[in-house]
Amino acid sequence: MDYKIVMPVLSDTMDKGKLIKWHVHEGDTVHKGDVIAEVESDKAIMEVQTFKDGVVKKLLVKEGDEVPVKEPIAILDTETKPQAPTKKEQAKEEPSKEESKVVQKSEIPSILQELMPTSAPPVEGYASPAAKKAAAKANIDIETLQKEGVLPKPAHLKDISEELLKRYFTPKALHLLKEYGIEANSFTLDHKIDEEEVQDFIMKNNIPKPFPLSSNRKAVIKNVEESAKKPTYLVMETFDIKPYKNVKLTSILIKTIADVMQRHPLTRAILEGDRYLIYPSSNISVAVAKGDDLFMVVCKDAQQKSLEAIDEWVRNLKNRDYSAEELSGSTFGISNLGMFGIKRFSAMINKKDSGIAAFGTLYDGKIDVTFTFDHRILNGVDAAKFVSDLKNSFKGNG
């Protein structure tokens, strides 16, 4: 039979409580009177006990969740009665006195374990039972520190742990510990440790700095992983290009490619199931680096736009944010690393595009270009005709 354990009403003014910590896991056997959780009301942190024997079937809320009073927080299966261990099992399961000490100690963070004195004076203050227990053993006066505003009200176990760390690390050293995810007990805690000592530790042990991925980088990774699955091939050519005064080279590339795409329908196609979808417009995705992020912004209907209009679009690319509409709908792409002095490189195809052209730096009126084509859309002959047409068009662009 399922028995619902609810958020208790711990005060007259309490309308909801915060689940601070679970002391049980799903599948655990519990007995009447066992403490299963810690709950924070508007006035105090209290322990929640079970009033029945059973097995924890489901934990309905996570630590940190706020739950209205009398709402279920866990379900207990009371039909699966906990079996009392036999004397033999009990003897096997009961830890020795030494093991018991270890189990009790493991409930406290390792940094606290190292610094705890053997005595445990009583501690006053507004804190969770676990925090009080840890503070008592570490000789931390919660009440005084709360009056001084050093510790929050209520104080939790993490607050005690951080307070203890402050005794042995400067603020900059603590910042480095968190930044690199280094355990405090990696150091000998018998003196004040500064930033320089932590930096030396990082260099000596070659510890990498975690760098969480931005949403843009995650999207780029997903895009290139999908692109890598496509059957592609490369075509390399050198184009003669005469740049126009006061016009971005990228603008010339977009306009010329857009016009040539009109004569090669498969460059305006995407593969969908067992058919091609051939679009009438030359929509070209353009690789744009903005800070540390990379975007493929789509210049739409480029065949209808004048070179001046495209140049204005290119010049404003990095000065604005992009909508989802601006990042979709392309069938061919370009990437230009010529401004970095790169002579030749290849690029990954963007999303469902039929191909991409990677342009290197302009030298002596020439540019080396590497095309990557999706072989499912353009075969070698299709690609050769397109590239040849482009070569002739660029030759006559001046």
Side-chain angles (χ1 to χ4, degrees), residues 148-216:
E148 295 173 353
V150 176
L151 285 177
K153 291 183 179 180
H156 301 293
L157 189 57
K158 67 179 181 59
D159 302 315
I160 303 303
S161 182
E162 289 180 2
E163 177 57 28
L164 200 55
L165 287 174
K166 290 177 185 174
R167 297 183 180 182
Y168 292 92
F169 294 90
T170 65
K172 289 185 176 179
L174 267 180
H175 178 74
L176 278 178
L177 287 186
K178 293 178 181 178
E179 198 172 31
Y180 282 81
I182 302 171
E183 291 289 336
N185 53 17
S186 300
F187 296 83
T188 301
L189 301 175
D190 58 359
H191 63 291
K192 194 81 169 184
I193 298 168
D194 60 15
E195 180 185 15
E196 185 177 354
E197 185 171 345
V198 178
Q199 283 284 15
D200 289 343
F201 180 85
I202 290 170
M203 294 301 296
K204 182 179 179 181
N205 294 280
N206 195 29
I207 297 174
K209 181 179 177 179
F211 186 80
L213 297 177
S214 66
S215 57
N216 175 269

Side-chain angles (χ1 to χ4, degrees), residues 226-243:
E226 288 298 316
S227 180
K229 298 176 184 175
K230 296 175 182 174
T232 60
Y233 62 98
L234 304 179
V235 174
M236 284 162 276
E237 204 23 293
T238 300
F239 290 168
D240 295 322
I241 295 181
K242 183 184 294 182

Side-chain angles (χ1 to χ4, degrees), residues 189-398:
L189 301 175
D190 58 359
H191 63 291
K192 194 81 169 184
I193 298 168
D194 60 15
E195 180 185 15
E196 185 177 354
E197 185 171 345
V198 178
Q199 283 284 15
D200 289 343
F201 180 85
I202 290 170
M203 294 301 296
K204 182 179 179 181
N205 294 280
N206 195 29
I207 297 174
K209 181 179 177 179
F211 186 80
L213 297 177
S214 66
S215 57
N216 175 269
R217 284 183 180 268
K218 290 177 183 176
V220 171
I221 289 171
K222 183 179 179 182
N223 189 16
V224 297
E225 284 179 341
E226 288 298 316
S227 180
K229 298 176 184 175
K230 296 175 182 174
T232 60
Y233 62 98
L234 304 179
V235 174
M236 284 162 276
E237 204 23 293
T238 300
F239 290 168
D240 295 322
I241 295 181
K242 183 184 294 182
Y244 296 127
K245 189 177 181 181
N246 298 326
V247 177
K248 290 276 190 182
L249 181 59
T250 299
S251 308
I252 298 172
L253 302 180
I254 294 172
K255 180 57 183 171
T256 306
I257 291 175
D259 290 343
V260 174
M261 284 173 67
Q262 289 297 302
R263 300 193 287 271
H264 300 270
L266 288 178
T267 61
R268 290 181 274 113
I270 64 169
L271 178 63
E272 184 182 87
D274 58 356
R275 63 178 182 173
Y276 293 132
L277 297 180
I278 301 175
Y279 292 90
S281 293
S282 296
N283 295 339
I284 300 175
S285 56
V286 181
V288 179
K290 192 174 177 183
D292 292 331
D293 294 329
L294 175 65
F295 299 90
M296 295 299 288
V297 190
V298 181
C299 182
K300 296 188 175 177
D301 302 317
Q303 83 286 356
Q304 293 182 347
K305 290 184 169 72
S306 66
L307 179 61
E308 291 73 20
I310 292 175
D311 194 50
E312 184 178 355
W313 181 85
V314 170
R315 290 179 185 276
N316 290 323
L317 266 178
K318 294 190 176 183
N319 301 325
R320 57 186 177 81
D321 296 326
Y322 314 120
S323 66
E325 173 68 19
E326 290 177 287
L327 300 173
S328 61
S330 61
T331 62
F332 195 82
I334 70 168
S335 181
N336 180 12
L337 293 182
M339 66 286 286
F340 299 104
I342 302 298
K343 189 173 182 182
R344 185 186 288 281
F345 71 104
S346 62
M348 306 285 281
I349 294 176
N350 179 48
K351 297 179 181 175
K352 295 183 177 182
D353 288 1
S354 59
I356 188 168
F359 290 86
T361 191
L362 180 67
Y363 63 98
D364 300 330
K366 298 181 183 299
I367 283 185
D368 292 334
V369 192
T370 302
F371 292 86
T372 305
F373 288 106
D374 186 336
H375 209 318
R376 299 171 302 173
I377 301 178
L378 287 100
N379 61 36
V381 173
D382 298 323
K385 290 179 178 176
F386 173 61
V387 173
S388 178
D389 198 350
L390 263 181
K391 186 173 183 177
N392 291 329
S393 298
F394 276 118
K395 190 181 295 181
N397 77 322

Side-chain angles (χ1 to χ4, degrees), residues 29-177:
T29 296
V30 295
H31 298 275
K32 181 180 178 181
D34 284 351
V35 174
I36 64 165
E38 288 178 37
V39 167
E40 181 183 288
S41 72
D42 54 347
K43 293 181 177 177
I45 295 176
M46 304 288 288
E47 293 177 338
V48 178
Q49 301 178 355
T50 175
F51 296 102
K52 291 185 179 290
D53 296 341
V55 175
V56 179
K57 184 176 181 180
K58 187 75 176 176
L59 299 180
L60 301 175
V61 298
K62 302 188 296 294
E63 292 180 353
D65 285 354
E66 290 189 333
V67 184
V69 297
K70 299 182 181 179
E71 285 290 320
I73 60 174
I75 298 175
L76 208 63
D77 179 3
T78 58
E79 290 182 345
T80 305
K81 294 293 183 184
Q83 298 296 320
T86 64
K87 289 185 177 179
K88 184 177 180 181
E89 291 171 335
Q90 194 171 17
K92 184 179 179 181
E93 292 176 359
E94 282 184 352
S96 64
K97 290 183 179 179
E98 289 300 317
E99 290 172 334
S100 178
K101 288 180 181 176
V102 172
V103 170
Q104 186 177 2
K105 195 175 181 180
S106 68
E107 295 172 355
I108 307 301
S110 56
I111 179 61
L112 288 173
Q113 291 180 21
E114 288 213 358
L115 302 174
M116 284 175 181
T118 53
S119 60
V123 170
E124 300 298 330
Y126 184 30
S128 69
K132 281 190 173 182
K133 184 178 177 182
K137 292 186 176 180
N139 285 327
I140 290 178
D141 186 341
I142 293 178
E143 188 174 36
T144 299
L145 292 177
Q146 286 180 332
K147 287 179 180 177
E148 295 173 353
V150 176
L151 285 177
K153 291 183 179 180
H156 301 293
L157 189 57
K158 67 179 181 59
D159 302 315
I160 303 303
S161 182
E162 289 180 2
E163 177 57 28
L164 200 55
L165 287 174
K166 290 177 185 174
R167 297 183 180 182
Y168 292 92
F169 294 90
T170 65
K172 289 185 176 179
L174 267 180
H175 178 74
L176 278 178
L177 287 186

